[in-house]
């Protein structure tokens, strides 16, 4: 009979060891997921909360690391683009300063304008890359590699190991209770059971305290991760927005300068075959009837916007800049028009302007 009892005891121990191995196998992976042994509801909720916090902070850590890697790659690529753009800027300014083209210096001016604008854009890109490094990657990397996150994770891992000890001790208590039920007369078995139960209570108490500390630390880390990551994403968006706004202003100014140079090349061709403007005596005398019929509407005057720049060749001609508004008073059949712009009256090629029906009051004020 004694041999049968010993055999049954060994069998129970073997089953307990196998059961514990199964718990460890399915509860591994950094943080335990076994909820079958410990049935205390409060402890189970704490364990589940800590498990969710562990997963949440781990995922946030991976996302922060992805942002850092992505921005670092963007900085490396952007630095190479700055290098290429700077070389293009230097080449353009070199051509603009050394060009000796016999047909004029319009391209030289455009090349200088392009080189200066490109240099400004590359400077803005460099500022963007610097901002991304200091305002995005450095704070996120510091948190990913920082002690608070690791300390909180270590607390959670210590809690997990202690919880596994509680599970093992719970199995040990169950074994001792079974032995006492089988052999109640053995005082030694009762003593061992009491010792196992006391140890289990101590482990549970320590586990509960450690679990609360770990949950509090992990919750604080989760809040910090959420707040910091969002702040860095906003900082990245603001830095890129500022960069694009600055570049847009540079490009708009550059476009205006280059188009003006192009118009300066193209505009003179319109007046090449035109005769000189008539004198006021001719208009008021010989050509009076023609100008009355060809010039304007019944009011005789209208507003025009200058589309091409024009430099007058005599005191009787106006100097026009693109965007100016002019009061047109006469238009001749030879292609010349007479009007007033910025308080000065004179002749100009009629083809250099376009008629405007609606003009802001502020623009009209600039004419006189």
């Amino acid at each position: 009979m004694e041999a049968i009892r010993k055999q049954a005891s060994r069998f129970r121990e073997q089953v307990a060891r196998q059961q514990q191995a199964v718990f460890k196998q399915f509860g591994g992976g950094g943080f335990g997921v076994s909820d079958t042994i410990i049935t205390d509801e409060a402890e189970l909720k704490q364990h589940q909360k800590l498990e969710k916090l562990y997963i949440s902070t781990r995922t946030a850590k991976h996302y922060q690391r992805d942002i850092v890697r992505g921005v670092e790659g963007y900085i490396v690529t952007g630095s190479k683009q700055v290098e290429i753009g700077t070389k293009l800027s230097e080449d353009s300014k070199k051509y603009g300063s050394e060009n000796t083209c016999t047909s004029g210096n319009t391209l030289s001016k455009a090349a200088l304008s392009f080189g200066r604008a490109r240099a400004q854009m590359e400077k803005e890109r460099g500022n963007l890359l610097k901002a991304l490094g200091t305002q995005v990657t450095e704070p996120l990397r510091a948190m990913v590699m920082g002690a608070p996150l690791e300390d909180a994770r270590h607390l959670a891992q210590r809690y997990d190991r202690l919880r596994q000890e509680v599970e093992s001790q719970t199995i040990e208590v169950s074994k001792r209770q079974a032995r006492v039920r089988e052999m109640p007369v053995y005082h030694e078995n009762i003593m061992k059971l009491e010792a196992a139960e006391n140890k289990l209570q101590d482990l549970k108490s320590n586990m509960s305290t450690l679990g609360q500390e770990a949950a509090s630390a992990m919750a604080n880390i989760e809040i910090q991760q959420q707040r910091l990551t969002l702040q860095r994403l906003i900082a990245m968006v603001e830095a890129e927005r500022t960069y694009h706004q600055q570049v847009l202003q540079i490009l708009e100014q550059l476009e205006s300068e280059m188009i003006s140079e192009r118009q300066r090349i193209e505009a003179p061709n319109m007046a090449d075959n035109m005769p000189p403007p008539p004198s006021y005596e001719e208009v008021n005398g010989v050509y009076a009837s023609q100008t009355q019929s060809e010039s304007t509407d019944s009011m005789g005057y209208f507003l025009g916007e200058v589309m091409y720049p024009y430099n007058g060749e005599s005191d009787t001609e106006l100097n026009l800049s693109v965007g100016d508004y002019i009061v047109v008073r006469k238009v001749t059949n030879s292609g010349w028009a007479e009007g007033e712009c910025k308080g000065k009256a004179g002749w100009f090629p009629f083809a250099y302007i376009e008629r405007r029906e609606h003009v802001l009051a502020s623009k009209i004020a600039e004419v006189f």
Side-chain angles (χ1 to χ4, degrees):
M1 183 62 67
E2 185 66 25
I4 295 175
R5 290 197 185 97
K6 290 182 179 181
Q7 185 176 1
S9 178
R10 285 195 299 270
F11 181 73
R12 283 193 299 270
E13 292 176 358
Q14 183 179 358
V15 170
R17 284 194 299 268
Q18 291 176 350
Q19 187 179 27
Q20 186 175 359
V22 170
F23 291 146
K24 289 183 179 180
Q25 178 181 356
F26 291 97
F31 194 82
V33 296
S34 174
D35 299 327
T36 57
I37 298 300
I38 303 174
T39 57
D40 182 78
E41 184 176 355
E43 196 284 327
L44 180 59
K45 289 182 179 180
Q46 179 173 272
H47 171 70
Q48 292 173 343
K49 177 183 177 181
L50 193 54
E51 184 181 38
K52 292 178 180 178
L53 286 169
Y54 192 91
I55 295 172
S56 172
T57 54
R58 181 180 59 189
T59 305
K61 175 183 177 181
H62 291 169
Y63 179 49
Q64 289 177 331
R65 191 160 50 196
D66 290 341
I67 294 175
V68 170
R69 290 172 178 172
V71 174
E72 285 177 342
Y74 183 85
I75 292 174
V76 171
T77 304
S79 299
K80 185 63 178 179
Q81 291 176 334
V82 169
E83 180 181 343
I84 296 171
T86 301
K87 180 64 169 59
L88 177 59
S89 168
E90 294 172 353
D91 292 341
S92 297
K93 289 189 285 188
K94 181 179 179 181
Y95 175 85
S97 60
E98 298 178 0
N99 172 51
T100 57
C101 182
T102 58
S103 60
N105 61 352
T106 301
L107 180 58
S108 298
K109 291 182 179 179
L112 284 171
S113 297
F114 178 82
R116 288 193 294 267
R118 174 56 62 180
Q120 291 176 352
M121 287 190 290
E122 299 310 330
K123 181 180 178 180
E124 293 297 334
R125 189 194 295 269
N127 292 338
L128 168 64
L129 299 179
K130 183 178 179 180
L132 293 179
T134 58
Q135 299 178 18
V136 179
T137 59
E138 291 180 6
L140 289 178
R141 186 188 296 111
M143 186 164 196
V144 169
M145 306 298 295
L149 174 60
E150 291 305 312
D151 291 345
R153 290 167 64 86
H154 289 159
L155 280 176
Q157 291 167 355
R158 284 175 53 196
Y159 164 80
D160 183 52
R161 289 192 295 269
L162 185 56
R163 193 170 192 274
Q164 292 177 2
E165 291 184 25
V166 171
E167 292 177 349
S168 299
Q169 189 62 25
T170 301
I171 295 173
E172 179 66 21
V173 169
S174 299
K175 289 164 49 179
R176 296 294 179 186
Q177 289 174 344
R179 290 182 181 179
V180 169
R181 285 195 299 269
E182 292 174 359
M183 296 177 288
V185 295
Y186 288 96
H187 183 70
E188 181 180 357
N189 290 342
I190 297 175
M191 295 288 292
K192 291 181 178 180
L193 174 59
E194 291 177 353
E197 289 176 340
N198 292 335
K199 182 179 180 180
L200 177 60
Q201 291 301 319
D202 292 340
L203 289 173
K204 283 185 176 182
S205 177
N206 294 336
M207 179 184 66
S208 177
T209 302
L210 185 58
Q212 292 174 359
E213 294 178 2
S216 177
M218 294 292 284
N220 290 334
I221 290 296
E222 183 185 55
I223 293 173
Q224 293 175 22
Q225 285 178 327
Q226 298 291 311
R227 182 185 297 114
L228 179 65
T229 306
L230 178 58
Q231 289 174 346
R232 295 312 96 199
L233 287 176
I234 294 174
M236 181 163 57
V237 171
E238 290 177 343
E240 291 195 274
R241 184 191 63 182
T242 300
Y243 162 71
H244 289 296
Q245 288 176 339
Q246 295 294 334
V247 169
L248 179 60
Q249 293 179 2
I250 295 171
L251 289 175
E252 286 178 345
Q253 182 178 356
L254 174 62
E255 182 185 34
S256 176
E257 293 176 0
M258 297 183 75
I259 289 178
S260 178
E261 289 299 321
R262 185 185 68 183
Q263 290 173 342
R264 199 168 69 84
I265 296 175
E266 297 172 350
N269 296 330
M270 299 178 182
D272 283 347
N273 299 323
M274 291 176 59
S279 64
Y280 282 100
E281 291 78 7
E282 291 175 320
V283 173
N284 294 326
V286 179
Y287 299 118
S289 61
Q290 295 177 348
T291 56
Q292 287 293 331
S293 61
E294 298 175 8
S295 61
T296 65
D297 54 22
S298 59
M299 297 299 295
Y301 291 14
F302 66 88
L303 280 174
E305 181 180 357
V306 178
M307 306 307 296
Y308 304 97
Y310 179 72
N311 293 321
E313 297 181 359
S314 67
D315 293 339
T316 62
E317 298 179 30
L318 290 176
N319 294 324
L320 304 179
S321 300
V322 175
D324 287 347
Y325 282 84
I326 185 168
V327 176
V328 182
R329 297 188 290 214
K330 293 183 178 68
V331 179
T332 71
N333 58 0
S334 61
W336 290 94
E338 189 272 335
E340 182 177 353
C341 180
K342 296 182 179 178
K344 183 178 180 181
W347 293 98
F348 59 92
F350 181 63
Y352 281 47
I353 69 167
E354 288 186 3
R355 183 167 179 156
R356 292 289 181 262
E357 300 294 341
H358 303 286
V359 182
L360 295 175
S362 59
K363 294 295 183 181
I364 296 177
E366 293 176 359
V367 175
F368 300 100

